[in-house]
């Protein structure tokens, strides 16, 4: 188990943990929660050995293997599959030992090396890696693409797949859902539920924590408090605890006031001096209950829109996508992702936009936000439409070198030039005050945005949107870097917003709280989704299963095509000749010609059938040999016999794999022949 006893952790002059203690048992799935800056990531750094405690002691079993998501951006020309396979450090070590043992010629060492390689799952490493990659949203066609060909968010998904690939007893996950769409998030939940080891996860996604954790550790006031149960259970228990603490504090204050009143009244009287002195001692001995300090929750609201056109937006036969890249040859067609959309967006609608990764959700939102032009069709905006757009990547609308105040001043100038200012206060002091409502106070208004955290950038984007008083909100993954309290504030503000909301998010709690209808972006179109989020999760799991089965079938077909002889063409050729020759024949001649052709097909099928039977017999024999060799390796043997058995098993396995490919090719030939 993991034990922390009276741990003290500092970051600079700030004490993050002060005499904190907690115990985590093997196999527990722990959610680590607390305010941003409370010390969650610092505690992870202690557990993985990159930081040392300033006081106290902690213990992690030395034999435990640990896995975590690397935070650096990978730069390599390796294929995605190979990069993820390398996450299995145990397999890599076994492969290195096999190579070293073969070079040494030591039979005993080779025997153990082959056994270790087999136990590490070398035979299915590629399949395991590709299952992880596909589960996290990649396409089958991208499995062999170089890592450097992917964007930053996709490379971080590969880092996550690499961490999951590594066999581990302790898994540390710091915000694993930030770069995931809802389909990948649902898959990750299902995977983590099956994870057999101990897991600690930091996340601001309430439903994700509820799904994958059974223990919650809360960091507050530099202490660690353990709660049995997931995040929702933690909230209930903490609310009860807070109520009890407040009641106990109030009762103690009443008792202290009563004692102090007695002391003040009778301490000067000789007859009551002893009683007064005993009250003083009782007061000194009393263990003071701390008052309940309410956390400074972040709250904000959207101002009432100046007007509400209805419909807000009308689309007739619109296609969404991207124009040809710069420098492309003249005449290069645009890339169309979603096409022929005819829908209206009405005042007051709350629309959640669903769809598997890569189907075009963000493209749809960008086009409505005017960041992209429609490829074709007609988009008609209501008179007075005022869009507030939260981009999935905050830096799409922020300048890293500028400060929050400079962003607000530039926003005022741009809107003044466009004639869109409608009564908002525009003096610098007014803008400073407005920024203060979003926790940008003091020197923070003069801090470069590039040096801020993801949560602070997200708050600044929200601040700029709220100031514009929009009547249509387009939000593309607005919660990626927000903590739970800020997510709750956003949810409340959106529920009170009087305009229209179109929301793309993997935060199911936000989708449930805000949206009352859903659009599905799928297979190049947009249609209403008839169901709730639970129905959608089931759809995603079924779709992921279908894609995995399709990928496996494609792999089998590719193997068969690679190993099949060119007999299919030979089978097809006589039929084409016979079809050509049959033109213009009489009925009797045609029947004779057909009989001849059938006889030719039978003759062609005979050797194929014979080869199939021989292959099946040989496959059955090899399967028995493989089972016998595997069983033999399970028994104690001399080192030389282990090495020889390992080599035999390798030869048998390779021959069996090759024979299975040949059998598939022969079966396909037989189908062609029978069809003829």
């Amino acid at each position: 188990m993991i034990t922390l006893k009276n741990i003290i952790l500092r970051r600079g002059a700030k004490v993050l943990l002060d005499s904190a203690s907690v115990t985590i048992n093997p196999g527990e799935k722990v959610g680590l929660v607390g305010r941003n800056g409370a010390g969650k990531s610092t505690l992870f750094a202690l557990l993985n050995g990159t930081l040392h405690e300033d006081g106290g002691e902690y213990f992690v079993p030395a034999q435990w293997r640990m896995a975590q998501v690397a935070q650096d951006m990978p730069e390599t020309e390796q294929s995605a599959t190979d990069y993820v396979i390398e996450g299995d450090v145990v397999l890599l070590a076994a492969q290195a030992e096999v190579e070293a043992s073969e070079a040494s010629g030591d039979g005993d060492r080779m025997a153990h090396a082959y056994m270790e390689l087999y136990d590490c799952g070398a035979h299915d490493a590629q399949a395991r890696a590709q299952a992880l990659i596909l589960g996290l949203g990649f396409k089958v066609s991208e499995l062999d693409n170089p890592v450097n060909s992917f964007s930053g968010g996709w490379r971080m998904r590969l880092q996550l797949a690499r961490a999951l690939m590594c066999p581990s007893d302790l898994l540390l996950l710091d915000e694993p859902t930030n770069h995931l769409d809802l389909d990948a998030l649902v898959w990750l939940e299902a995977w983590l539920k099956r994870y057999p080891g101990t897991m600690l996860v930091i996340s601001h996604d309430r439903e994700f924590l509820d799904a994958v954790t059974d223990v919650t550790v809360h960091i507050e006031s530099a202490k660690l408090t353990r709660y049995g149960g997931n995040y929702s259970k933690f909230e209930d228990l903490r609310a009860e605890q807070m109520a009890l603490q407040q009641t106990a504090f109030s009762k103690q204050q009443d008792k202290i006031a009563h004692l102090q009143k007695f002391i003040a009244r009778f301490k000067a009287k000789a007859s009551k001096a002893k009683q007064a002195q005993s009250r003083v001692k009782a007061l000194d001995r009393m263990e003071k209950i701390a008052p309940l300090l309410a956390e400074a929750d972040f709250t904000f609201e959207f101002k009432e829109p100046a007007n509400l056109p209805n419909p807000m937006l009308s689309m007739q036969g619109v296609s969404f996508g991207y124009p040809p890249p710069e420098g492309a040859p003249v005449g290069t067609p645009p890339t169309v992702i979603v096409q022929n959309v005819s829908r209206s967006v009405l005042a007051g609608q709350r629309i959640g936009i669903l769809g598997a990764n890569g189907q075009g959700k963000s493209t749809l939102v960008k086009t409505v936000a005017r960041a992209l032009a429609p490829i074709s069709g007609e988009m008609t905006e209501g008179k007075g439409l005022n869009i507030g757009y939260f981009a999935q990547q905050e830096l799409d609308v922020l300048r890293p070198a500028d400060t929050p105040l400079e962003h607000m001043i530039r926003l005022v100038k741009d809107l003044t030039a466009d004639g869109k200012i409608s009564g908002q206060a525009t003096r610098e002091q007014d803008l400073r005050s407005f920024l203060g409502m979003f926790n940008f106070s003091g020197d923070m208004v003069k801090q470069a945005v590039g040096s801020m955290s993801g949560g602070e950038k997200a708050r600044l984007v929200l601040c700029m949107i709220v100031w514009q008083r929009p009547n249509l909100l387009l939000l593309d993954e607005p919660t990626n870097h927000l903590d739970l309290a800020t997510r709750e504030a956003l949810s409340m503000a959106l529920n009170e917003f009087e305009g229209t909301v179109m929301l793309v998010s993997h935060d199911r709690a936000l989708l449930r709280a805000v949206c009352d209808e859903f659009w599905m972006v799928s297979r190049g179109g947009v249609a209403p989704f008839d169901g709730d989020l639970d129905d959608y999760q089931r759809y995603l799991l079924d779709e992921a299963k279908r894609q995995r089965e399709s990928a496996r079938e494609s792999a089998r077909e590719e193997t068969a095509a690679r190993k099949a002889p060119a007999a299919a063409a030979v089978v097809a050729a006589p039929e084409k000749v016979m079809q050509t020759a049959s033109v213009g024949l009489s009925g009797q001649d045609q029947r004779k010609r057909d009989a001849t052709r059938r006889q030719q097909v039978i003759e062609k099928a005979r050797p194929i059938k014979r080869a199939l039977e021989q292959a099946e017999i040989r496959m059955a024999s090899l399967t028995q040999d493989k089972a016998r060799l595997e069983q033999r390796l399970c028994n104690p043997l001399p080192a030389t016999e282990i090495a020889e058995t390992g080599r035999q098993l390798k030869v048998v396995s390779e021959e069996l794999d090759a024979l299975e490919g040949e059998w598939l090719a022969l079966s396909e030939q037989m189908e062609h022949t029978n069809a003829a």
Side-chain angles (χ1 to χ4, degrees):
M1 66 177 63
I2 299 173
T3 56
L4 285 79
K5 187 175 181 181
N6 297 323
I7 287 292
I8 299 173
L9 271 182
R10 293 187 179 91
R11 269 292 173 91
K14 185 178 181 181
V15 178
L16 296 176
L17 293 179
D18 187 8
S19 299
S21 301
V22 75
T23 299
I24 297 169
N25 299 310
E28 288 184 330
K29 309 292 193 300
V30 181
L32 189 59
V33 300
R35 286 283 184 164
N36 281 346
K40 301 185 295 294
S41 296
T42 305
L43 181 56
F44 268 26
L46 173 70
L47 294 174
N48 66 29
T50 57
L51 275 183
H52 296 286
E53 69 277 17
D54 296 293
E57 56 186 27
Y58 78 98
F59 171 77
V60 178
Q63 71 274 19
W64 277 16
R65 300 166 297 177
M66 185 174 63
Q68 62 179 339
V69 181
Q71 296 303 310
D72 60 305
M73 194 67 66
E75 295 286 348
T76 176
E77 291 297 326
Q78 276 184 299
S79 71
T81 299
D82 290 342
Y83 181 73
V84 172
I85 288 174
E86 283 194 355
D88 190 340
V89 294
V90 178
L91 176 61
L92 288 185
Q95 289 173 338
E97 175 60 17
V98 166
E99 294 174 3
S101 65
E102 289 178 342
S104 69
D106 185 338
D108 189 14
R109 183 179 177 186
M110 289 170 61
H112 287 92
Y114 275 113
M115 286 184 64
E116 182 65 25
L117 186 64
Y118 185 79
D119 291 341
C120 290
H123 57 287
D124 65 347
Q126 181 173 330
R128 287 187 288 121
Q130 292 184 347
L132 292 171
I133 297 170
L134 295 174
L136 290 173
F138 290 81
K139 300 174 183 175
V140 175
S141 59
E142 296 174 328
L143 291 171
D144 294 323
N145 288 3
V147 172
N148 283 348
S149 67
F150 297 105
S151 65
W154 287 98
R155 286 193 235 178
M156 292 311 295
R157 292 195 192 202
L158 289 176
Q159 292 284 43
L160 175 58
R162 194 173 162 107
L164 301 182
M165 183 73 181
C166 181
S168 62
D169 304 292
L170 175 61
L171 180 61
L172 304 179
L173 297 176
D174 191 349
E175 295 291 356
T177 66
N178 271 0
H179 301 281
L180 302 184
D181 295 321
L182 188 52
D183 51 337
L185 177 57
V186 170
W187 175 89
L188 179 61
E189 281 182 4
W191 193 95
L192 292 177
K193 287 177 183 177
R194 299 191 301 270
Y195 176 67
T198 304
M199 180 180 74
L200 273 75
V201 58
I202 299 171
S203 177
H204 295 305
D205 188 323
R206 176 191 303 268
E207 292 207 16
F208 176 73
L209 287 172
D210 278 350
V212 303
T213 63
D214 50 30
V215 174
T216 302
V217 173
H218 185 216
I219 303 182
E220 184 184 32
S221 303
K223 301 293 184 185
L224 296 171
T225 307
R226 176 189 165 101
Y227 296 84
N230 59 21
Y231 185 81
S232 293
K233 184 66 174 176
F234 151 73
E235 280 194 321
D236 294 340
L237 292 172
R238 184 163 178 262
E240 294 174 7
Q241 187 183 66
M242 291 167 69
L244 290 171
Q245 182 178 344
Q246 188 61 39
T247 301
F249 175 75
S250 299
K251 289 181 178 179
Q252 189 179 66
Q253 291 303 301
D254 291 342
K255 186 174 182 179
I256 289 172
H258 177 74
L259 290 172
Q260 287 176 336
K261 184 177 180 181
F262 183 92
I263 293 166
R265 182 177 179 185
F266 295 113
K267 67 180 179 180
K269 291 187 177 182
S271 59
K272 296 287 188 179
K274 286 186 178 181
Q275 292 93 324
Q277 191 61 33
S278 68
R279 296 318 193 264
V280 171
K281 291 179 180 179
L283 196 58
D284 291 338
R285 288 195 303 269
M286 186 180 295
E287 185 177 343
K288 303 297 190 295
I289 298 173
L292 188 65
L293 300 176
E295 293 180 335
D297 287 334
F298 169 65
T299 60
F300 71 97
E301 62 181 1
F302 290 94
K303 296 180 181 179
E304 180 183 355
N307 61 343
L308 286 174
N310 197 20
M312 291 271 181
L313 185 74
S314 178
M315 296 174 277
Q316 293 295 325
V318 179
S319 293
F320 304 89
Y322 293 88
E326 290 186 14
V330 178
T332 302
T335 302
V336 177
I337 298 177
V338 183
Q339 57 188 346
N340 197 27
V341 177
S342 297
R343 301 198 65 79
S344 294
V345 180
L346 306 178
Q349 278 187 297
R350 300 283 197 278
I351 303 169
I353 302 177
L354 307 176
N357 171 66
Q359 294 297 312
K361 303 185 297 295
S362 293
T363 307
L364 170 64
V365 172
K366 285 180 180 178
T367 307
V368 174
R370 311 183 189 113
L372 289 173
I375 301 299
S376 62
E378 183 178 355
M379 290 184 65
T380 306
E381 296 182 353
K383 185 177 180 180
L385 179 67
N386 185 14
I387 294 175
Y389 174 43
F390 189 107
Q392 184 171 359
Q393 301 295 333
E394 291 91 350
L395 288 181
D396 288 352
V397 293
L398 297 179
R399 299 184 182 182
D402 289 357
T403 67
L405 184 58
E406 288 171 339
H407 277 86
M408 292 299 295
I409 291 172
R410 186 173 60 255
L411 178 64
V412 170
K413 289 180 179 178
D414 291 345
L415 293 182
T416 301
D418 294 340
K420 294 182 179 179
I421 295 289
S422 56
Q424 293 100 318
T426 58
R427 295 181 307 157
E428 181 175 318
Q429 186 55 48
D430 296 327
L431 297 178
R432 283 176 176 269
S433 300
F434 194 78
L435 285 164
M437 294 169 54
F438 287 81
N439 288 350
F440 293 102
S441 56
D443 293 338
M444 280 197 72
V445 299
K446 293 293 187 72
Q447 179 182 340
V449 167
S451 65
M452 292 182 174
S453 68
E456 289 166 340
K457 292 175 186 175
R459 283 208 316 273
L460 178 56
V461 174
L462 286 173
C463 176
M464 295 168 67
I465 291 173
V466 171
W467 192 87
Q468 297 175 64
R469 296 182 65 181
N471 47 34
L472 172 60
L473 283 173
L474 303 174
L475 307 177
D476 191 357
E477 298 291 358
T479 62
N480 269 356
H481 299 287
L482 301 181
D483 61 20
L484 283 160
T486 309
R487 291 183 185 209
E488 187 68 24
L490 175 62
S491 176
M492 293 173 62
L494 290 175
N495 276 323
E496 295 171 2
F497 177 57
E498 297 182 10
T500 299
V501 178
M502 297 179 71
L503 173 63
V504 178
S505 179
H506 65 260
D507 188 330
R508 287 157 296 177
L510 183 67
L511 286 169
R512 292 183 202 276
V514 173
C515 302
D516 49 30
E517 63 179 294
F518 296 102
W519 288 3
M520 169 75 91
V521 182
S522 176
R523 298 175 185 175
V526 178
F529 181 75
D530 186 18
D532 57 17
L533 282 181
D534 293 329
D535 296 323
Y536 182 61
Q537 284 186 217
R538 285 190 287 271
Y539 161 80
L540 288 176
L541 291 172
D542 292 342
E543 185 70 9
K545 181 180 178 182
R546 184 191 66 78
Q547 289 181 358
R548 287 195 299 273
E549 291 174 350
S550 176
R552 283 195 292 267
E553 182 62 29
S554 298
R556 283 196 294 267
E557 290 175 358
E558 183 180 344
T559 301
R562 189 168 56 247
K563 297 183 178 180
V570 176
V571 171
E575 183 173 353
K576 290 182 180 179
V577 173
M578 297 299 291
Q579 288 173 347
T580 304
S582 65
V583 178
L585 295 176
S586 65
Q588 184 177 2
D589 290 339
Q590 180 64 49
R591 285 192 294 276
K592 290 180 179 179
R593 183 71 68 184
D594 289 344
T596 302
R597 185 172 59 185
R598 282 194 296 274
Q599 187 61 36
Q600 289 177 337
V601 169
I602 292 171
E603 292 297 327
K604 280 288 180 186
R606 187 173 290 119
I608 300 174
K609 183 178 180 182
R610 190 181 306 116
L612 268 173
E613 292 172 349
Q614 292 174 350
E616 289 170 353
I617 293 170
R618 180 59 179 157
M619 284 169 60
S621 175
L622 287 171
T623 302
Q624 291 177 354
D625 290 345
K626 184 178 179 182
R628 176 178 54 78
L629 291 169
E630 288 175 344
Q631 181 62 38
R632 188 178 183 190
L633 283 173
C634 294
N635 299 322
L637 294 171
T640 53
E641 290 189 29
I642 293 176
E644 180 59 30
T645 305
R647 281 194 291 269
Q648 290 177 10
L649 180 60
K650 183 179 179 181
V651 171
V652 168
S653 298
E654 290 175 351
E655 185 180 352
L656 184 59
D657 289 343
L659 201 57
E660 286 176 349
E662 185 180 341
W663 182 86
L664 284 170
L666 289 168
S667 299
E668 190 173 337
Q669 290 178 46
M670 181 62 78
E671 290 176 4
H672 283 300
T673 305
N674 290 336

